[in-house]
Amino acid sequence: GLVVYKDDLGIVGSTTSDSNRTKVELDTKNILVIVVNFTKPINEEETLVKLFNEFLNISKQNKIYTE
C-alpha cells in the first residue's frame, strides 16, 4: 500500500501528492519536507539544499539557502 501522512485534521499527503488542505500554492509561506529514501544512504542536508534550489529554479524564485 501507499504511505499516507496525516495529522489531527486529516490527511496531509502521501509520497506522491499533497492533499487539497496542504497543497503548495503561490501564497504558501511555510513547508514541511518529509524525505523518504529507500535506496543508498544520503547526505540529508546536501540533498535537501539541492532539491530546494531545483524547486526554486523551476518556480522562478530566488535561492533562499546555499551551501
Side-chain angles (χ1 to χ4, degrees), residues 3-24 31-34:
V3 175
V4 175
Y5 302 99
K6 64 179 194 168
D7 60 15
D8 292 339
L9 299 176
I11 294 176
V12 174
S14 72
T15 55
T16 60
S17 63
D18 301 329
S19 70
N20 280 335
R21 180 172 62 88
T22 62
K23 64 185 174 186
V24 176
I31 61 172
L32 168 68
V33 176
I34 301 171

Side-chain angles (χ1 to χ4, degrees), residues 39-56:
T39 62
K40 63 183 179 179
I42 60 170
N43 177 321
E44 291 89 355
E45 184 176 358
E46 179 182 312
T47 301
L48 286 174
V49 167
K50 180 181 175 187
L51 291 171
F52 277 127
N53 287 332
E54 286 177 15
F55 166 77
L56 293 170

